[in-house]
Amino acid sequence: MTGLVIPVAIFVTFIAMKILGQSFNMMTLGGLAAAGGLIIDDAIVVVENIVLHRDGGEGRLEAVSSALKELTVPLIGSTLTPIVVFLPLISITGVTGTFSALWRLP
């Protein structure tokens, strides 16, 4: 399960970049690498929580349902945090803005 998360996420990202007309550069590849780390961390937490519920005697589907109910809100929060932190980089001007704006190609 965890091994499938990264390839699927990268594939979906490639499709989204194609639809949005974005190209690959150092900033997008760096962001993709950072996002990959966050995604794999989230996937590991979910799998470990499912195993915890399975070891507690729950059935397969019940364990998945319980684990996802427990983790949905925290995982959304941990995913939105980097977005909120880095979103202001879009409005930076000057030399710093030039580096952060590389991904916003016309």
Side-chain angles (χ1 to χ4, degrees), residues 34-63:
L38 292 172
I39 291 169
I40 197 70
D41 285 343
D42 290 348
I44 290 169
V45 168
V46 170
V47 169
E48 286 180 354
N49 201 19
I50 292 170
V51 169
L52 179 70
H53 283 274
R54 289 277 295 168
D55 290 346
E58 294 182 16
R60 188 176 291 176
L61 293 177
E62 186 180 3

mmCIF file of all heavy atoms in Angstrom, residues 34-63:
data_model
loop_
_atom_site.group_PDB
_atom_site.id
_atom_site.type_symbol
_atom_site.label_atom_id
_atom_site.label_comp_id
_atom_site.label_asym_id
_atom_site.label_seq_id
_atom_site.Cartn_x
_atom_site.Cartn_y
_atom_site.Cartn_z
ATOM 1 N N ALA A 34 9.615 17.252 -1.883
ATOM 2 C CA ALA A 34 9.143 17.557 -0.529
ATOM 3 C C ALA A 34 7.749 16.988 -0.301
ATOM 4 O O ALA A 34 7.456 16.417 0.757
ATOM 5 C CB ALA A 34 9.148 19.063 -0.310
ATOM 6 N N ALA A 35 6.877 17.139 -1.277
ATOM 7 C CA ALA A 35 5.518 16.609 -1.149
ATOM 8 C C ALA A 35 5.535 15.082 -1.069
ATOM 9 O O ALA A 35 4.734 14.487 -0.347
ATOM 10 C CB ALA A 35 4.666 17.063 -2.326
ATOM 11 N N GLY A 36 6.451 14.458 -1.794
ATOM 12 C CA GLY A 36 6.567 13.003 -1.727
ATOM 13 C C GLY A 36 6.893 12.529 -0.323
ATOM 14 O O GLY A 36 6.350 11.527 0.154
ATOM 15 N N GLY A 37 7.763 13.260 0.356
ATOM 16 C CA GLY A 37 8.086 12.924 1.741
ATOM 17 C C GLY A 37 6.889 13.046 2.657
ATOM 18 O O GLY A 37 6.648 12.185 3.515
ATOM 19 N N LEU A 38 6.118 14.103 2.479
ATOM 20 C CA LEU A 38 4.915 14.282 3.302
ATOM 21 C C LEU A 38 3.887 13.188 3.031
ATOM 22 O O LEU A 38 3.248 12.671 3.954
ATOM 23 C CB LEU A 38 4.288 15.652 3.021
ATOM 24 C CG LEU A 38 5.091 16.863 3.471
ATOM 25 C CD1 LEU A 38 4.452 18.146 2.958
ATOM 26 C CD2 LEU A 38 5.204 16.889 4.980
ATOM 27 N N ILE A 39 3.734 12.838 1.764
ATOM 28 C CA ILE A 39 2.750 11.821 1.402
ATOM 29 C C ILE A 39 3.131 10.466 1.967
ATOM 30 O O ILE A 39 2.288 9.740 2.502
ATOM 31 C CB ILE A 39 2.591 11.747 -0.136
ATOM 32 C CG1 ILE A 39 1.905 13.014 -0.632
ATOM 33 C CG2 ILE A 39 1.807 10.519 -0.559
ATOM 34 C CD1 ILE A 39 1.926 13.168 -2.133
ATOM 35 N N ILE A 40 4.397 10.109 1.881
ATOM 36 C CA ILE A 40 4.816 8.802 2.394
ATOM 37 C C ILE A 40 4.691 8.757 3.905
ATOM 38 O O ILE A 40 4.321 7.730 4.481
ATOM 39 C CB ILE A 40 6.236 8.419 1.907
ATOM 40 C CG1 ILE A 40 6.491 6.914 2.078
ATOM 41 C CG2 ILE A 40 7.307 9.187 2.631
ATOM 42 C CD1 ILE A 40 5.721 6.056 1.151
ATOM 43 N N ASP A 41 4.959 9.883 4.587
ATOM 44 C CA ASP A 41 4.761 9.927 6.032
ATOM 45 C C ASP A 41 3.304 9.681 6.394
ATOM 46 O O ASP A 41 3.003 8.909 7.307
ATOM 47 C CB ASP A 41 5.197 11.282 6.604
ATOM 48 C CG ASP A 41 6.703 11.438 6.674
ATOM 49 O OD1 ASP A 41 7.405 10.407 6.593
ATOM 50 O OD2 ASP A 41 7.170 12.575 6.829
ATOM 51 N N ASP A 42 2.400 10.346 5.688
ATOM 52 C CA ASP A 42 0.972 10.157 5.946
ATOM 53 C C ASP A 42 0.547 8.716 5.674
ATOM 54 O O ASP A 42 -0.239 8.140 6.433
ATOM 55 C CB ASP A 42 0.136 11.115 5.095
ATOM 56 C CG ASP A 42 0.264 12.568 5.535
ATOM 57 O OD1 ASP A 42 0.816 12.816 6.629
ATOM 58 O OD2 ASP A 42 -0.186 13.453 4.782
ATOM 59 N N ALA A 43 1.057 8.137 4.604
ATOM 60 C CA ALA A 43 0.695 6.759 4.269
ATOM 61 C C ALA A 43 1.177 5.786 5.346
ATOM 62 O O ALA A 43 0.451 4.857 5.718
ATOM 63 C CB ALA A 43 1.285 6.372 2.919
ATOM 64 N N ILE A 44 2.365 6.005 5.870
ATOM 65 C CA ILE A 44 2.896 5.132 6.922
ATOM 66 C C ILE A 44 2.041 5.237 8.178
ATOM 67 O O ILE A 44 1.736 4.234 8.832
ATOM 68 C CB ILE A 44 4.375 5.467 7.203
ATOM 69 C CG1 ILE A 44 5.240 5.036 6.017
ATOM 70 C CG2 ILE A 44 4.853 4.808 8.491
ATOM 71 C CD1 ILE A 44 6.664 5.545 6.071
ATOM 72 N N VAL A 45 1.631 6.450 8.534
ATOM 73 C CA VAL A 45 0.784 6.640 9.718
ATOM 74 C C VAL A 45 -0.537 5.901 9.544
ATOM 75 O O VAL A 45 -1.017 5.233 10.471
ATOM 76 C CB VAL A 45 0.555 8.151 9.977
ATOM 77 C CG1 VAL A 45 -0.533 8.372 11.003
ATOM 78 C CG2 VAL A 45 1.849 8.815 10.417
ATOM 79 N N VAL A 46 -1.139 5.999 8.368
ATOM 80 C CA VAL A 46 -2.420 5.321 8.118
ATOM 81 C C VAL A 46 -2.252 3.811 8.205
ATOM 82 O O VAL A 46 -3.052 3.119 8.866
ATOM 83 C CB VAL A 46 -3.013 5.735 6.755
ATOM 84 C CG1 VAL A 46 -4.200 4.862 6.382
ATOM 85 C CG2 VAL A 46 -3.419 7.196 6.777
ATOM 86 N N VAL A 47 -1.219 3.267 7.570
ATOM 87 C CA VAL A 47 -1.007 1.816 7.590
ATOM 88 C C VAL A 47 -0.756 1.334 9.016
ATOM 89 O O VAL A 47 -1.303 0.307 9.444
ATOM 90 C CB VAL A 47 0.155 1.423 6.646
ATOM 91 C CG1 VAL A 47 0.557 -0.024 6.859
ATOM 92 C CG2 VAL A 47 -0.246 1.654 5.201
ATOM 93 N N GLU A 48 0.045 2.072 9.776
ATOM 94 C CA GLU A 48 0.314 1.666 11.160
ATOM 95 C C GLU A 48 -0.962 1.701 11.999
ATOM 96 O O GLU A 48 -1.166 0.841 12.855
ATOM 97 C CB GLU A 48 1.385 2.561 11.776
ATOM 98 C CG GLU A 48 2.768 2.269 11.253
ATOM 99 C CD GLU A 48 3.828 3.156 11.864
ATOM 100 O OE1 GLU A 48 3.489 4.092 12.625
ATOM 101 O OE2 GLU A 48 5.014 2.903 11.595
ATOM 102 N N ASN A 49 -1.819 2.682 11.767
ATOM 103 C CA ASN A 49 -3.058 2.751 12.526
ATOM 104 C C ASN A 49 -4.004 1.615 12.142
ATOM 105 O O ASN A 49 -4.706 1.074 12.997
ATOM 106 C CB ASN A 49 -3.729 4.109 12.320
ATOM 107 C CG ASN A 49 -4.698 4.449 13.428
ATOM 108 O OD1 ASN A 49 -4.647 3.888 14.511
ATOM 109 N ND2 ASN A 49 -5.595 5.369 13.146
ATOM 110 N N ILE A 50 -4.020 1.249 10.875
ATOM 111 C CA ILE A 50 -4.835 0.101 10.454
ATOM 112 C C ILE A 50 -4.330 -1.168 11.123
ATOM 113 O O ILE A 50 -5.121 -1.978 11.628
ATOM 114 C CB ILE A 50 -4.831 -0.038 8.913
ATOM 115 C CG1 ILE A 50 -5.579 1.126 8.283
ATOM 116 C CG2 ILE A 50 -5.440 -1.373 8.482
ATOM 117 C CD1 ILE A 50 -5.426 1.219 6.767
ATOM 118 N N VAL A 51 -3.021 -1.356 11.167
ATOM 119 C CA VAL A 51 -2.437 -2.536 11.819
ATOM 120 C C VAL A 51 -2.781 -2.543 13.301
ATOM 121 O O VAL A 51 -3.103 -3.598 13.878
ATOM 122 C CB VAL A 51 -0.904 -2.577 11.607
ATOM 123 C CG1 VAL A 51 -0.255 -3.631 12.476
ATOM 124 C CG2 VAL A 51 -0.591 -2.818 10.140
ATOM 125 N N LEU A 52 -2.749 -1.386 13.932
ATOM 126 C CA LEU A 52 -3.110 -1.283 15.348
ATOM 127 C C LEU A 52 -4.554 -1.752 15.576
ATOM 128 O O LEU A 52 -4.825 -2.512 16.515
ATOM 129 C CB LEU A 52 -2.938 0.164 15.828
ATOM 130 C CG LEU A 52 -3.309 0.438 17.276
ATOM 131 C CD1 LEU A 52 -2.291 -0.214 18.207
ATOM 132 C CD2 LEU A 52 -3.374 1.933 17.526
ATOM 133 N N HIS A 53 -5.453 -1.332 14.711
ATOM 134 C CA HIS A 53 -6.848 -1.762 14.842
ATOM 135 C C HIS A 53 -7.012 -3.248 14.537
ATOM 136 O O HIS A 53 -7.816 -3.932 15.182
ATOM 137 C CB HIS A 53 -7.750 -0.923 13.923
ATOM 138 C CG HIS A 53 -8.033 0.440 14.467
ATOM 139 N ND1 HIS A 53 -9.048 0.697 15.332
ATOM 140 C CD2 HIS A 53 -7.409 1.626 14.264
ATOM 141 C CE1 HIS A 53 -9.060 1.979 15.652
ATOM 142 N NE2 HIS A 53 -8.063 2.566 14.997
ATOM 143 N N ARG A 54 -6.262 -3.727 13.552
ATOM 144 C CA ARG A 54 -6.324 -5.173 13.231
ATOM 145 C C ARG A 54 -5.813 -6.007 14.400
ATOM 146 O O ARG A 54 -6.386 -7.032 14.733
ATOM 147 C CB ARG A 54 -5.485 -5.491 11.989
ATOM 148 C CG ARG A 54 -6.046 -4.982 10.690
ATOM 149 C CD ARG A 54 -7.072 -5.871 10.118
ATOM 150 N NE ARG A 54 -6.450 -7.143 9.754
ATOM 151 C CZ ARG A 54 -7.114 -8.225 9.437
ATOM 152 N NH1 ARG A 54 -8.414 -8.208 9.423
ATOM 153 N NH2 ARG A 54 -6.495 -9.327 9.137
ATOM 154 N N ASP A 55 -4.738 -5.554 15.039
ATOM 155 C CA ASP A 55 -4.205 -6.268 16.198
ATOM 156 C C ASP A 55 -5.162 -6.206 17.381
ATOM 157 O O ASP A 55 -5.105 -7.059 18.269
ATOM 158 C CB ASP A 55 -2.842 -5.696 16.606
ATOM 159 C CG ASP A 55 -1.751 -6.013 15.594
ATOM 160 O OD1 ASP A 55 -1.965 -6.890 14.728
ATOM 161 O OD2 ASP A 55 -0.678 -5.365 15.662
ATOM 162 N N GLY A 56 -6.029 -5.189 17.375
ATOM 163 C CA GLY A 56 -7.029 -5.067 18.435
ATOM 164 C C GLY A 56 -8.233 -5.967 18.229
ATOM 165 O O GLY A 56 -9.166 -5.952 19.023
ATOM 166 N N GLY A 57 -8.243 -6.733 17.161
ATOM 167 C CA GLY A 57 -9.301 -7.705 16.941
ATOM 168 C C GLY A 57 -10.352 -7.279 15.933
ATOM 169 O O GLY A 57 -11.324 -8.016 15.718
ATOM 170 N N GLU A 58 -10.211 -6.138 15.309
ATOM 171 C CA GLU A 58 -11.206 -5.700 14.330
ATOM 172 C C GLU A 58 -10.980 -6.423 13.002
ATOM 173 O O GLU A 58 -9.877 -6.841 12.688
ATOM 174 C CB GLU A 58 -11.104 -4.187 14.109
ATOM 175 C CG GLU A 58 -11.471 -3.366 15.321
ATOM 176 C CD GLU A 58 -11.397 -1.876 15.062
ATOM 177 O OE1 GLU A 58 -11.358 -1.467 13.885
ATOM 178 O OE2 GLU A 58 -11.383 -1.115 16.045
ATOM 179 N N GLY A 59 -12.049 -6.532 12.240
ATOM 180 C CA GLY A 59 -11.955 -7.120 10.907
ATOM 181 C C GLY A 59 -11.238 -6.165 9.960
ATOM 182 O O GLY A 59 -10.977 -5.009 10.288
ATOM 183 N N ARG A 60 -10.951 -6.653 8.767
ATOM 184 C CA ARG A 60 -10.179 -5.883 7.801
ATOM 185 C C ARG A 60 -10.857 -4.552 7.449
ATOM 186 O O ARG A 60 -10.260 -3.493 7.572
ATOM 187 C CB ARG A 60 -9.958 -6.727 6.548
ATOM 188 C CG ARG A 60 -9.010 -6.105 5.564
ATOM 189 C CD ARG A 60 -8.761 -7.013 4.395
ATOM 190 N NE ARG A 60 -7.994 -8.180 4.852
ATOM 191 C CZ ARG A 60 -7.681 -9.203 4.086
ATOM 192 N NH1 ARG A 60 -8.086 -9.237 2.840
ATOM 193 N NH2 ARG A 60 -6.985 -10.207 4.561
ATOM 194 N N LEU A 61 -12.102 -4.602 7.002
ATOM 195 C CA LEU A 61 -12.801 -3.378 6.606
ATOM 196 C C LEU A 61 -13.103 -2.484 7.801
ATOM 197 O O LEU A 61 -13.043 -1.259 7.699
ATOM 198 C CB LEU A 61 -14.087 -3.725 5.862
ATOM 199 C CG LEU A 61 -13.901 -4.385 4.500
ATOM 200 C CD1 LEU A 61 -15.248 -4.751 3.894
ATOM 201 C CD2 LEU A 61 -13.121 -3.475 3.568
ATOM 202 N N GLU A 62 -13.436 -3.084 8.934
ATOM 203 C CA GLU A 62 -13.713 -2.310 10.133
ATOM 204 C C GLU A 62 -12.460 -1.581 10.604
ATOM 205 O O GLU A 62 -12.527 -0.433 11.036
ATOM 206 C CB GLU A 62 -14.235 -3.234 11.235
ATOM 207 C CG GLU A 62 -14.697 -2.518 12.471
ATOM 208 C CD GLU A 62 -15.211 -3.501 13.531
ATOM 209 O OE1 GLU A 62 -15.153 -4.726 13.317
ATOM 210 O OE2 GLU A 62 -15.659 -3.015 14.572
ATOM 211 N N ALA A 63 -11.307 -2.236 10.516
ATOM 212 C CA ALA A 63 -10.045 -1.609 10.914
ATOM 213 C C ALA A 63 -9.708 -0.435 10.016
ATOM 214 O O ALA A 63 -9.280 0.624 10.489
ATOM 215 C CB ALA A 63 -8.912 -2.634 10.885
#
